[in-house]
Amino acid sequence: MTSGTGSALDGAGSASGGAGSASGCTGSASGGTGGAGDTVRQVARVILLDPDDRVLLLHGHEPDDPTDTWWFTPGGGLEGDETRAQAALRELAEETGLTDVELGPVLWRRRCSFPFAGRRWDQDEWYYLARTHHTGPVPGPRALTELETRSLSGLRWWTSAELSAAHETVYPIRLAELLRTLLDEGPPTAPVVLAPEIV
């Protein structure tokens, strides 16, 4: 864990919208509606910032190949009739143990498709901004599925500078640039539609 920068969630109200966890665009996948084939899985993800503007990322890997790794944001597919905002908070709590979170607006939206655990996942992802006052160690996962248990290997806070200098795979692929813009300019007035990612 390391320290951070600026300030975002300025002018960010609460948001609603519509969980499992199929990572960035390759990553752990669980729960939610759909998952492969023609079904597009509805996903809520969280850009969680701490008081030092560090972003929390999970470390994932292909279940049968721990050397095939990447970092990605918390989140997952919708369950039942929950909204995306409800899914975002539930997934964050399940994957990180953090519940002292203020959920802000949707920052970005994107479509992605990726192979994971022997199948292809097609997702419509919404990225919510969130803030926590938590400064100690992250409690850690508290309700992982069997697939998540097999494919998650940790989590950590990243500064904007660390993200920009990273040589590891991070999803979404432009996260360093997107985070820098967020910290410099604040949340967009409407969600930004990112280019699709097909892996």
Side-chain angles (χ1 to χ4, degrees):
M1 310 276 183
T2 50
S3 59
T5 61
S7 169
L9 200 76
D10 316 339
S14 64
S16 66
S21 162
S23 94
C25 248
T26 283
S28 80
S30 68
T33 56
D38 296 330
T39 303
V40 177
R41 188 166 177 262
Q42 305 303 304
V43 170
R45 298 207 163 279
V46 181
I47 302 300
L48 181 65
L49 301 179
D50 75 356
D52 293 319
D53 285 336
R54 299 179 302 175
V55 65
L56 186 66
L57 297 179
L58 303 177
H59 197 210
H61 57 84
E62 191 58 43
D64 297 324
D65 183 4
T67 65
D68 183 5
T69 68
W70 54 84
W71 292 90
F72 65 103
T73 60
L78 278 59
E79 292 184 353
D81 61 356
E82 70 183 349
T83 66
R84 290 209 199 223
Q86 291 168 336
L89 290 172
R90 175 184 53 75
E91 284 287 330
L92 187 64
E94 290 176 357
E95 294 175 347
T96 71
L98 292 172
T99 56
D100 62 333
V101 170
E102 177 189 352
L103 194 66
V106 178
L107 298 170
W108 317 309
R109 295 177 60 178
R110 74 162 185 169
R111 291 289 294 269
C112 65
S113 178
F114 55 92
F116 174 72
R119 58 201 286 197
R120 177 155 289 276
W121 299 78
D122 298 305
Q123 303 195 155
D124 175 22
E125 301 186 338
W126 292 18
Y127 287 78
Y128 284 87
L129 175 60
R131 278 282 188 186
T132 180
H133 298 293
H134 186 88
T135 56
V138 177
R142 66 180 196 187
L144 297 182
T145 66
E146 183 271 339
L147 183 55
E148 287 173 322
T149 300
R150 291 171 48 219
S151 60
L152 291 177
S153 54
L155 70 173
R156 64 164 279 206
W157 295 103
W158 292 72
T159 66
S160 175
E162 288 171 335
L163 212 46
S164 295
H167 295 293
E168 298 167 88
T169 302
V170 178
Y171 294 105
I173 55 173
R174 292 178 48 225
L175 184 57
E177 173 191 340
L178 292 165
L179 179 62
R180 186 67 263 156
T181 300
L182 173 65
L183 296 177
D184 288 345
E185 302 175 8
T189 55
V192 174
V193 178
L194 305 179
E197 285 186 32
I198 311 297
V199 177

